[in-house]
Short mmCIF file of all heavy atoms in Angstrom, two decimals:
data_model
loop_
_atom_site.label_atom_id
_atom_site.label_comp_id
_atom_site.label_asym_id
_atom_site.label_seq_id
_atom_site.Cartn_x
_atom_site.Cartn_y
_atom_site.Cartn_z
N THR C 1 0.82 -1.20 0.02
CA THR C 1 -0.02 -0.04 -0.02
C THR C 1 0.89 1.30 0.00
O THR C 1 1.73 1.36 0.87
CB THR C 1 -0.90 0.02 1.27
OG1 THR C 1 -1.64 -1.17 1.31
CG2 THR C 1 -1.79 1.20 1.27
N GLY C 2 0.77 2.09 -0.96
CA GLY C 2 1.51 3.33 -0.98
C GLY C 2 3.01 3.10 -1.12
O GLY C 2 3.76 3.84 -0.44
N GLY C 3 3.46 1.97 -1.72
CA GLY C 3 4.86 1.80 -1.82
C GLY C 3 5.51 0.96 -0.77
O GLY C 3 6.75 0.76 -0.76
N SER C 4 4.78 0.57 0.29
CA SER C 4 5.41 -0.26 1.33
C SER C 4 4.41 -1.35 1.78
O SER C 4 3.22 -1.19 1.57
CB SER C 4 5.82 0.59 2.50
OG SER C 4 4.66 1.14 3.19
N TYR C 5 5.01 -2.40 2.22
CA TYR C 5 4.15 -3.50 2.71
C TYR C 5 3.61 -3.15 4.09
O TYR C 5 4.41 -2.72 4.97
CB TYR C 5 4.90 -4.85 2.67
CG TYR C 5 4.95 -5.41 1.34
CD1 TYR C 5 5.97 -5.14 0.46
CD2 TYR C 5 3.92 -6.19 0.84
CE1 TYR C 5 6.01 -5.70 -0.80
CE2 TYR C 5 3.93 -6.73 -0.44
CZ TYR C 5 4.98 -6.44 -1.27
OH TYR C 5 5.00 -6.94 -2.52
N ARG C 6 2.29 -3.40 4.25
CA ARG C 6 1.66 -3.17 5.60
C ARG C 6 0.84 -4.40 5.96
O ARG C 6 0.37 -5.10 5.16
CB ARG C 6 0.73 -1.98 5.47
CG ARG C 6 1.45 -0.65 5.22
CD ARG C 6 0.47 0.50 5.11
NE ARG C 6 1.25 1.70 5.08
CZ ARG C 6 1.42 2.53 6.11
NH1 ARG C 6 0.92 2.21 7.30
NH2 ARG C 6 2.16 3.65 6.00
N ILE C 7 0.68 -4.60 7.25
CA ILE C 7 0.06 -5.73 7.88
C ILE C 7 -1.47 -5.59 7.66
O ILE C 7 -2.00 -4.54 7.91
CB ILE C 7 0.38 -5.90 9.37
CG1 ILE C 7 1.85 -6.06 9.56
CG2 ILE C 7 -0.47 -7.00 9.99
CD1 ILE C 7 2.33 -5.76 10.97
N VAL C 8 -2.11 -6.70 7.17
CA VAL C 8 -3.58 -6.62 7.02
C VAL C 8 -4.20 -7.71 7.89
O VAL C 8 -5.41 -7.76 8.12
CB VAL C 8 -4.08 -6.78 5.58
CG1 VAL C 8 -3.69 -5.53 4.78
CG2 VAL C 8 -3.55 -8.10 4.92
N ASP C 9 -3.39 -8.70 8.40
CA ASP C 9 -3.91 -9.68 9.29
C ASP C 9 -2.75 -10.36 10.02
O ASP C 9 -1.62 -10.36 9.50
CB ASP C 9 -4.66 -10.77 8.49
CG ASP C 9 -5.54 -11.69 9.32
OD1 ASP C 9 -5.69 -11.39 10.55
OD2 ASP C 9 -6.03 -12.69 8.74
N VAL C 10 -3.07 -10.79 11.21
CA VAL C 10 -2.08 -11.62 11.98
C VAL C 10 -2.75 -12.94 12.34
O VAL C 10 -3.85 -12.95 12.84
CB VAL C 10 -1.65 -10.88 13.28
CG1 VAL C 10 -0.67 -11.72 13.99
CG2 VAL C 10 -1.12 -9.48 12.98
N ILE C 11 -2.07 -14.06 12.00
CA ILE C 11 -2.61 -15.40 12.21
C ILE C 11 -1.76 -15.99 13.37
O ILE C 11 -0.51 -16.10 13.27
CB ILE C 11 -2.54 -16.22 11.01
CG1 ILE C 11 -3.46 -15.61 9.87
CG2 ILE C 11 -3.05 -17.67 11.29
CD1 ILE C 11 -2.77 -14.91 8.83
N SER C 12 -2.42 -16.45 14.40
CA SER C 12 -1.76 -17.10 15.56
C SER C 12 -2.49 -18.38 15.92
O SER C 12 -3.73 -18.36 16.01
CB SER C 12 -1.77 -16.15 16.70
OG SER C 12 -1.24 -16.79 17.88
N GLY C 13 -1.81 -19.50 15.98
CA GLY C 13 -2.46 -20.79 16.24
C GLY C 13 -3.48 -21.14 15.22
O GLY C 13 -4.48 -21.79 15.51
N GLY C 14 -3.23 -20.72 13.93
CA GLY C 14 -4.11 -21.03 12.85
C GLY C 14 -5.43 -20.15 12.82
O GLY C 14 -6.23 -20.34 12.01
N VAL C 15 -5.50 -19.14 13.71
CA VAL C 15 -6.64 -18.34 13.84
C VAL C 15 -6.34 -16.91 13.31
O VAL C 15 -5.40 -16.27 13.77
CB VAL C 15 -7.17 -18.21 15.26
CG1 VAL C 15 -8.41 -17.37 15.34
CG2 VAL C 15 -7.53 -19.67 15.72
N SER C 16 -7.14 -16.45 12.36
CA SER C 16 -6.99 -15.09 11.84
C SER C 16 -7.57 -14.05 12.82
O SER C 16 -8.72 -14.09 13.19
CB SER C 16 -7.74 -15.03 10.49
OG SER C 16 -7.98 -13.67 10.10
N ASN C 17 -6.69 -13.08 13.16
CA ASN C 17 -7.20 -11.92 14.01
C ASN C 17 -8.25 -11.20 13.24
O ASN C 17 -9.29 -10.77 13.88
CB ASN C 17 -6.06 -11.03 14.41
CG ASN C 17 -6.43 -9.99 15.40
OD1 ASN C 17 -6.98 -10.33 16.44
ND2 ASN C 17 -6.28 -8.75 15.05
N LEU C 18 -8.17 -11.01 11.99
CA LEU C 18 -9.13 -10.28 11.21
C LEU C 18 -10.48 -10.98 11.24
O LEU C 18 -11.58 -10.32 11.38
CB LEU C 18 -8.65 -10.16 9.72
CG LEU C 18 -9.42 -9.34 8.78
CD1 LEU C 18 -9.57 -7.93 9.17
CD2 LEU C 18 -8.81 -9.43 7.39
N ALA C 19 -10.47 -12.33 11.07
CA ALA C 19 -11.69 -13.09 11.10
C ALA C 19 -12.36 -13.02 12.51
O ALA C 19 -13.58 -12.91 12.62
CB ALA C 19 -11.45 -14.56 10.75
N LEU C 20 -11.55 -13.03 13.55
CA LEU C 20 -12.11 -12.91 14.89
C LEU C 20 -12.73 -11.61 15.11
O LEU C 20 -13.86 -11.50 15.65
CB LEU C 20 -11.02 -13.09 15.95
CG LEU C 20 -10.52 -14.52 16.22
CD1 LEU C 20 -9.34 -14.48 17.20
CD2 LEU C 20 -11.68 -15.32 16.72
N GLN C 21 -12.12 -10.52 14.67
CA GLN C 21 -12.67 -9.18 14.79
C GLN C 21 -13.99 -9.02 14.07
O GLN C 21 -14.95 -8.47 14.60
CB GLN C 21 -11.66 -8.13 14.36
CG GLN C 21 -10.55 -7.83 15.28
CD GLN C 21 -9.63 -6.70 14.77
OE1 GLN C 21 -9.47 -6.56 13.56
NE2 GLN C 21 -9.01 -6.03 15.70
N ARG C 22 -13.97 -9.57 12.84
CA ARG C 22 -15.16 -9.51 12.04
C ARG C 22 -16.33 -10.20 12.71
O ARG C 22 -17.41 -9.79 12.79
CB ARG C 22 -14.87 -10.05 10.65
CG ARG C 22 -16.01 -9.79 9.70
CD ARG C 22 -15.67 -10.06 8.27
NE ARG C 22 -16.86 -9.86 7.39
CZ ARG C 22 -16.86 -9.67 6.16
NH1 ARG C 22 -15.74 -9.81 5.51
NH2 ARG C 22 -17.92 -9.43 5.50
N ALA C 23 -16.04 -11.44 13.19
CA ALA C 23 -17.08 -12.23 13.89
C ALA C 23 -17.54 -11.54 15.19
O ALA C 23 -18.74 -11.47 15.41
CB ALA C 23 -16.55 -13.63 14.21
N ASP C 24 -16.54 -10.98 15.99
CA ASP C 24 -16.92 -10.33 17.21
C ASP C 24 -17.82 -9.07 17.02
O ASP C 24 -18.61 -8.72 17.88
CB ASP C 24 -15.66 -9.95 18.00
CG ASP C 24 -14.97 -11.13 18.59
OD1 ASP C 24 -15.56 -12.26 18.59
OD2 ASP C 24 -13.80 -11.00 18.96
N LEU C 25 -17.63 -8.39 15.91
CA LEU C 25 -18.29 -7.13 15.68
C LEU C 25 -19.46 -7.22 14.65
O LEU C 25 -20.15 -6.20 14.47
CB LEU C 25 -17.32 -6.09 15.19
CG LEU C 25 -16.18 -5.75 16.19
CD1 LEU C 25 -15.04 -4.91 15.55
CD2 LEU C 25 -16.78 -5.00 17.37
N ALA C 26 -19.66 -8.39 14.06
CA ALA C 26 -20.68 -8.50 13.03
C ALA C 26 -22.10 -8.09 13.49
O ALA C 26 -22.78 -7.27 12.77
CB ALA C 26 -20.72 -9.97 12.49
N THR C 27 -22.56 -8.57 14.60
CA THR C 27 -23.88 -8.20 15.08
C THR C 27 -24.02 -6.76 15.42
O THR C 27 -25.03 -6.11 15.02
CB THR C 27 -24.20 -9.09 16.32
OG1 THR C 27 -24.18 -10.47 15.93
CG2 THR C 27 -25.64 -8.76 16.85
N THR C 28 -23.00 -6.24 16.06
CA THR C 28 -22.93 -4.83 16.33
C THR C 28 -23.05 -3.90 15.08
O THR C 28 -23.84 -2.94 15.04
CB THR C 28 -21.69 -4.46 17.11
OG1 THR C 28 -21.62 -5.25 18.35
CG2 THR C 28 -21.54 -2.97 17.44
N ILE C 29 -22.28 -4.31 14.04
CA ILE C 29 -22.27 -3.54 12.88
C ILE C 29 -23.65 -3.68 12.16
O ILE C 29 -24.18 -2.76 11.60
CB ILE C 29 -21.07 -3.93 11.92
CG1 ILE C 29 -19.76 -3.56 12.58
CG2 ILE C 29 -21.23 -3.33 10.53
CD1 ILE C 29 -18.55 -4.24 11.91
N GLN C 30 -24.13 -4.89 12.14
CA GLN C 30 -25.38 -5.18 11.51
C GLN C 30 -26.55 -4.33 12.09
O GLN C 30 -27.40 -3.88 11.39
CB GLN C 30 -25.74 -6.62 11.59
CG GLN C 30 -26.34 -7.26 10.38
CD GLN C 30 -26.40 -8.79 10.57
OE1 GLN C 30 -26.39 -9.30 11.66
NE2 GLN C 30 -26.50 -9.52 9.43
N THR C 31 -26.54 -4.18 13.46
CA THR C 31 -27.65 -3.50 14.04
C THR C 31 -27.47 -2.00 14.15
O THR C 31 -28.40 -1.22 14.13
CB THR C 31 -27.90 -4.05 15.50
OG1 THR C 31 -26.71 -3.90 16.20
CG2 THR C 31 -28.30 -5.45 15.48
N GLY C 32 -26.23 -1.56 14.19
CA GLY C 32 -25.94 -0.09 14.41
C GLY C 32 -24.92 0.54 13.46
O GLY C 32 -24.60 1.75 13.65
N GLY C 33 -24.38 -0.22 12.50
CA GLY C 33 -23.43 0.34 11.55
C GLY C 33 -22.15 0.61 12.21
O GLY C 33 -21.81 0.19 13.34
N LEU C 34 -21.33 1.40 11.56
CA LEU C 34 -20.02 1.73 11.97
C LEU C 34 -20.04 2.60 13.27
O LEU C 34 -19.13 2.35 14.17
CB LEU C 34 -19.21 2.45 10.90
CG LEU C 34 -18.92 1.66 9.62
CD1 LEU C 34 -17.97 2.46 8.73
CD2 LEU C 34 -18.29 0.30 9.96
N PRO C 35 -20.97 3.41 13.50
CA PRO C 35 -20.96 4.18 14.78
C PRO C 35 -21.08 3.28 15.99
O PRO C 35 -20.46 3.46 17.05
CB PRO C 35 -22.15 5.10 14.67
CG PRO C 35 -22.35 5.36 13.23
CD PRO C 35 -21.94 4.06 12.54
N ALA C 36 -21.88 2.18 15.80
CA ALA C 36 -22.04 1.19 16.93
C ALA C 36 -20.70 0.47 17.17
O ALA C 36 -20.37 0.14 18.27
CB ALA C 36 -23.22 0.23 16.63
N MET C 37 -20.07 0.16 16.12
CA MET C 37 -18.76 -0.58 16.19
C MET C 37 -17.77 0.31 16.96
O MET C 37 -17.09 -0.21 17.82
CB MET C 37 -18.23 -0.89 14.81
CG MET C 37 -16.90 -1.60 14.87
SD MET C 37 -16.10 -1.88 13.26
CE MET C 37 -15.27 -0.26 13.04
N VAL C 38 -17.76 1.65 16.56
CA VAL C 38 -16.85 2.57 17.26
C VAL C 38 -17.16 2.55 18.72
O VAL C 38 -16.18 2.58 19.54
CB VAL C 38 -16.96 3.96 16.59
CG1 VAL C 38 -16.23 5.00 17.46
CG2 VAL C 38 -16.38 3.93 15.17
N LYS C 39 -18.38 2.67 19.06
CA LYS C 39 -18.83 2.71 20.50
C LYS C 39 -18.38 1.42 21.29
O LYS C 39 -17.86 1.51 22.34
CB LYS C 39 -20.33 2.96 20.59
CG LYS C 39 -20.80 3.15 21.99
CD LYS C 39 -22.31 3.41 22.01
CE LYS C 39 -22.75 3.53 23.47
NZ LYS C 39 -24.23 3.76 23.53
N LYS C 40 -18.64 0.29 20.62
CA LYS C 40 -18.27 -0.96 21.22
C LYS C 40 -16.77 -1.14 21.44
O LYS C 40 -16.27 -1.49 22.51
CB LYS C 40 -18.83 -2.15 20.44
CG LYS C 40 -18.49 -3.53 21.10
CD LYS C 40 -19.07 -4.67 20.42
CE LYS C 40 -18.82 -5.88 21.22
NZ LYS C 40 -19.58 -7.06 20.75
N LEU C 41 -15.97 -0.68 20.48
CA LEU C 41 -14.54 -0.78 20.56
C LEU C 41 -14.08 0.18 21.74
O LEU C 41 -13.15 -0.22 22.54
CB LEU C 41 -13.83 -0.41 19.31
CG LEU C 41 -13.98 -1.41 18.21
CD1 LEU C 41 -13.41 -0.93 16.92
CD2 LEU C 41 -13.26 -2.77 18.59
N ALA C 42 -14.62 1.33 21.84
CA ALA C 42 -14.27 2.17 22.93
C ALA C 42 -14.50 1.58 24.31
O ALA C 42 -13.75 1.71 25.23
CB ALA C 42 -15.03 3.55 22.87
N GLN C 43 -15.65 0.86 24.42
CA GLN C 43 -15.97 0.11 25.70
C GLN C 43 -14.96 -0.93 25.95
O GLN C 43 -14.42 -1.12 27.05
CB GLN C 43 -17.38 -0.40 25.63
CG GLN C 43 -18.45 0.62 25.67
CD GLN C 43 -19.84 0.05 25.26
OE1 GLN C 43 -19.96 -1.09 24.77
NE2 GLN C 43 -20.87 0.90 25.49
N LEU C 44 -14.66 -1.72 24.93
CA LEU C 44 -13.66 -2.79 25.05
C LEU C 44 -12.22 -2.34 25.37
O LEU C 44 -11.49 -2.97 26.11
CB LEU C 44 -13.57 -3.62 23.71
CG LEU C 44 -14.80 -4.47 23.42
CD1 LEU C 44 -14.62 -5.00 21.98
CD2 LEU C 44 -15.05 -5.54 24.40
#
């Protein structure tokens, strides 16, 4: 991205951090969009 390599995911123990975040936040995003996600992350 922009001339340098950047991290888009970290896999540990065969588990994708990106997939975990997506699963953890899916219901929140579905019901309240990105603003709900932002609020939930601030709480966490």
Side-chain angles (χ1 to χ4, degrees):
T1 303
S4 67
Y5 280 92
R6 294 178 173 262
I7 300 164
V8 293
D9 194 10
V10 181
I11 298 102
S12 175
V15 179
S16 159
N17 187 57
L18 185 62
L20 284 175
Q21 285 182 329
R22 188 168 181 165
D24 289 345
L25 296 168
T27 301
T28 301
I29 295 168
Q30 221 170 20
T31 58
L34 296 185
M37 180 188 84
V38 168
K39 184 177 178 181
K40 181 171 183 173
L41 289 174
Q43 293 166 347
L44 293 172

